[in-house]
């Protein structure tokens, strides 16, 4: 059996799981690849730590180096796997690997969010695998690239970040404190090295951009799309959602209508009972609507070493089989790519939940509803909660609205904050019915 020799940059949670998977499932992997897959070298900052991990895996035959050139200049190595994270340095590795005529595999969604269209022309027919970059173990890249390739994609809505889903699940189902739930997610190895991107929607935004490139060929950067995180969600919002039959989830949404594509990541209130509302804990779930297939749903572990390694190794196998010459996909000219435009953030049309903390005095509700009305916002439901003991004279006003434009909601909230009766910045959550 011929060999496919690979080198890896970075040997953290995912890297060591890739090594473990290659050893543990060697027979089936090699049989499916049609080649013997050999992890020859890893490049790391801390050699001693990597050597210790390799010893624990009984894989001391893997060479350890702190010099990337040891992989790039090794003519035996045909595939470079980047698992270190970060953006610019990881991009340099992609460039160097492709210039050295090596196939490239990455799990790095942040780097692809910024550089996917730079990498495509460098590949020049060399395989670039990135199955692990979106939703860990769920093979959603292949679903869009292959399985649904006969469809126009009408919409994608997904829970794309396991850490934030874990935190929201803990908060909603177990009354857990935000910080405690985050610490648990970190301890379980789900969170990014800097969990800011898990919490602020950035990680889900990166993944959404990769999916949108495959589905629509849309050339957008993270700064071009609406991205909000879960940091602002309070127990009052959770209580409102429960009372009105909703669950709060952080969703990445891509929708195509006529020649416009809408891309956004933000917390949503979703009807309890909807399939995606049942995706709990660290799990990810993605609904994809295609014009031939209709809706399909993909569910599985979106974070964690072994789940992500499952996708990385699937890319290695695909390369061994010679299947993956056009794996990157972004360079494809889609029929309608030239005519598609990214929808402006202000044009988002949705229902909203609004939370206001106001001075509990006569006339405030009248003024609030007048301002909402002035901005074309029609109230659907309203709930006023009593002040907490420690916050005497504060009323919590919780609204849901009928459909309206983001521009109008933002205009109304900007006007409201100017009033003395507003105690805290207003907060909104979009409602996806
Ligand atoms: N930190 C990511 C998450 C890992 O929690 O989903 C997978 O990209």
């Amino acid at each position: 059996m011929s060999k496919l020799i690979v080198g890896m940059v970075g040997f953290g949670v995912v890297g060591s799981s890739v090594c473990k998977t290659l050893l543990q499932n060697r027979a089936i992997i090699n049989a499916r690849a049609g080649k013997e897959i050999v992890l020859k070298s890893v490049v790391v900052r801390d050699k001693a730590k990597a050597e210790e991990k390799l010893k624990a895996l009984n894989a001391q035959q893997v060479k350890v180096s702190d010099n990337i050139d040891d992989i790039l200049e090794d003519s035996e190595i045909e595939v470079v796997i980047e698992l270190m994270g970060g953006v610019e340095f990881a991009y340099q590795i992609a460039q160097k690997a492709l210039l050295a005529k090596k196939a490239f595999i990455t799990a790095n969604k942040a780097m692809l969010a910024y550089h996917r269209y730079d990498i495509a022309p460098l590949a020049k027919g060399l395989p670039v695998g990135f199955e692990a970059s979106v939703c860990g173990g769920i093979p959603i890249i292949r679903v869009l690239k292959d399985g649904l390739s006969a469809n126009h994609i009408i919409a994608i809505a997904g829970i794309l970040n396991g850490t934030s889903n874990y935190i929201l699940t803990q908060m909603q189902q177990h009354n857990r404190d935000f910080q405690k739930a985050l610490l648990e997610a970190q301890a379980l190895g789900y969170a990014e090295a800097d969990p800011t991107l898990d919490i602020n929607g950035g990680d889900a935004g990166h993944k959404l951009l990769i999916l949108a490139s495959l589905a629509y060929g849309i050339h957008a950067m993270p700064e071009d799309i609406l991205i909000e995180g879960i940091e602002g969600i309070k127990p009052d919002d959770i209580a409102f959602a429960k009372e009105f039959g909703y669950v709060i989830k952080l969703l990445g949404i891509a929708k195509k209508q006529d020649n416009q594509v809408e891309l956004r990541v933000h917390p949503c209130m979703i009807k309890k009972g909807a399939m995606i509302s049942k995706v709990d804990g660290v799990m990810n779930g993605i609904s994809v609507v295609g014009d031939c297939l209709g809706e399909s749903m993909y569910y599985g572990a979106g974070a964690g070493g072994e789940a992500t390694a499952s996708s990385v190794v699937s890319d290695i196998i695909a390369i061994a089989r010679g299947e993956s010459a056009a794996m990157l996909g972004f360079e494809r000219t889609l029929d309608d790519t030239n005519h598609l435009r990214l929808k402006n953030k202000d044009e988002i049309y949705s229902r909203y939940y609004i939370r206001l903390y106001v001075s509990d005095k006569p006339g405030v509700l009248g003024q609030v509803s007048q301002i909402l009305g002035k901005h074309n916002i029609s109230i659907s439901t309203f709930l006023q909660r009593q002040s907490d003991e420690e916050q005497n004279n504060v009323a919590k006003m919780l609204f849901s609205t009928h459909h309206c434009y983001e521009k109008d909601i933002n205009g109304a909230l900007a006007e409201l904050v100017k009033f003395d009766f507003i105690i805290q910045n207003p907060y909104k959550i979009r409602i996806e019915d």
Side-chain angles (χ1 to χ4, degrees):
M1 188 179 251
S2 63
K3 292 183 180 176
L4 181 74
I5 307 214
V6 305
M8 190 187 289
V9 189
F11 200 62
V13 177
V14 178
S16 47
S17 292
V18 169
C19 180
K20 186 173 157 200
T21 305
L22 287 173
L23 293 171
Q24 233 170 35
N25 291 359
R26 181 176 17 216
I28 199 160
I29 288 170
N30 291 345
R32 286 177 178 158
K35 286 187 180 173
E36 185 189 344
I37 310 295
V38 179
L39 174 61
K40 181 176 178 186
S41 309
V42 298
V43 173
V44 289
R45 283 196 199 96
D46 185 342
K47 282 173 63 177
K49 202 166 154 192
E51 273 156 3
E52 212 173 286
K53 283 189 197 171
L54 286 164
K55 194 170 167 200
L57 290 167
N58 209 7
Q60 291 99 319
Q61 73 282 4
V62 178
K63 289 185 193 162
V64 179
S65 162
D66 54 11
N67 183 355
I68 178 79
D69 290 336
D70 286 342
I71 283 185
L72 295 172
E73 289 168 9
D74 184 334
S75 59
E76 268 193 341
I77 293 181
E78 291 181 65
V79 184
V80 174
I81 307 171
E82 182 275 309
L83 298 174
M84 10 164 341
V87 175
E88 293 311 321
F89 189 58
Y91 174 48
Q92 282 174 27
I93 293 170
Q95 287 174 301
K96 287 179 180 171
L98 293 168
L99 285 174
K101 299 272 173 272
K102 298 182 191 301
F104 181 68
I105 294 174
T106 184
N108 190 330
K109 55 264 163 167
M111 188 269 284
L112 290 175
Y114 286 98
H115 290 297
R116 59 202 187 282
Y117 289 101
D118 301 324
I119 289 177
L122 291 176
K124 295 197 182 99
L126 285 162
V128 176
F130 54 101
E131 185 61 72
S133 66
V134 182
C135 294
I138 306 177
I140 189 65
I141 302 296
R142 284 191 178 79
V143 164
L144 289 173
K145 190 177 76 70
D146 298 328
L148 300 188
S149 52
N151 290 251
H152 284 104
I153 304 300
I154 295 163
I156 299 172
I159 293 174
L160 307 177
N161 180 271
T163 302
S164 54
N165 200 39
Y166 181 85
I167 294 171
L168 287 177
T169 305
Q170 291 294 323
M171 287 172 76
Q172 291 176 95
Q173 294 181 8
H174 308 288
N175 294 324
R176 201 67 156 194
D177 169 78
F178 185 104
Q179 282 303 331
K180 269 193 192 149
L182 170 58
L183 287 173
E184 280 170 17
Q186 286 179 293
L188 290 164
Y190 303 148
E192 299 300 303
D194 171 5
T196 314
L197 289 172
D198 292 306
I199 306 305
N200 71 8
D203 177 77
H206 296 155
K207 293 167 180 168
L208 184 70
L209 287 168
I210 295 169
L211 298 181
S213 283
L214 290 166
Y216 304 118
I218 276 279
H219 194 151
M221 295 286 117
E223 293 72 26
D224 301 330
I225 66 170
L226 188 147
I227 299 180
E228 288 173 11
I230 62 168
E231 331 67 332
I233 296 170
K234 287 190 189 283
D236 285 329
D237 311 326
I238 291 172
F240 178 95
K242 274 192 183 147
E243 182 139 356
F244 288 93
Y246 293 109
V247 175
I248 303 176
K249 294 285 181 194
L250 182 76
L251 286 194
I253 297 172
K255 277 186 196 168
K256 178 173 175 283
Q257 204 179 15
D258 304 323
N259 68 335
Q260 297 195 68
V261 174
E262 191 174 325
L263 297 180
R264 49 193 168 103
V265 172
H266 50 72
C268 286
M269 287 199 189
I270 305 164
K271 271 280 173 222
K272 193 173 176 185
M275 263 197 291
I276 205 140
S277 77
K278 298 177 189 163
V279 176
D280 287 330
V282 71
M283 289 299 176
N284 284 188
I286 314 165
S287 147
V288 183
V289 183
D291 61 350
C292 311
L293 174 67
E295 184 175 11
S296 55
M297 175 98 189
Y298 308 89
Y299 171 87
E306 290 185 17
T308 311
S310 161
S311 287
V312 172
V313 175
S314 78
D315 279 344
I316 304 176
I317 294 172
I319 289 170
R321 286 169 168 172
E323 276 176 9
S324 49
M327 276 178 78
L328 195 61
F330 302 126
E331 76 276 31
R332 289 184 193 168
T333 313
L334 302 177
D335 273 358
D336 44 8
T337 299
N338 294 335
H339 309 292
L340 287 178
R341 89 168 174 89
L342 191 62
K343 203 172 196 176
N344 193 298
K345 294 172 195 175
D346 279 350
E347 296 169 304
I348 292 168
Y349 188 63
S350 177
R351 292 188 61 217
Y352 292 82
Y353 154 84
I354 303 171
R355 181 223 307 145
L356 300 177
Y357 289 177
V358 299
S359 305
D360 198 357
K361 58 186 187 191
V364 170
L365 180 56
Q367 281 177 279
V368 170
S369 58
Q370 198 191 9
I371 289 165
L372 294 178
K374 190 177 127 192
H375 288 269
N376 310 311
I377 297 159
S378 170
I379 296 164
S380 168
T381 59
F382 171 62
L383 202 68
Q384 181 161 325
R385 295 253 182 238
Q386 293 221 291
S387 319
D388 295 337
E389 270 177 46
E390 71 275 16
Q391 284 183 305
N392 269 335
N393 303 321
V394 176
K396 301 167 180 181
M397 290 181 175
L398 311 174
F399 301 88
S400 74
T401 73
H402 291 293
H403 272 89
C404 56
Y405 286 101
E406 181 94 5
K407 166 173 68 66
D408 290 330
I409 282 281
N410 289 341
L413 299 187
E415 189 168 342
L416 277 168
V417 286
K418 293 182 190 149
F419 285 84
D420 290 344
F421 61 73
I422 295 286
I423 307 283
Q424 223 180 65
N425 271 342
Y427 185 70
K428 64 175 185 292
I429 298 181
R430 295 159 193 87
I431 300 173
E432 288 282 319
D433 281 323

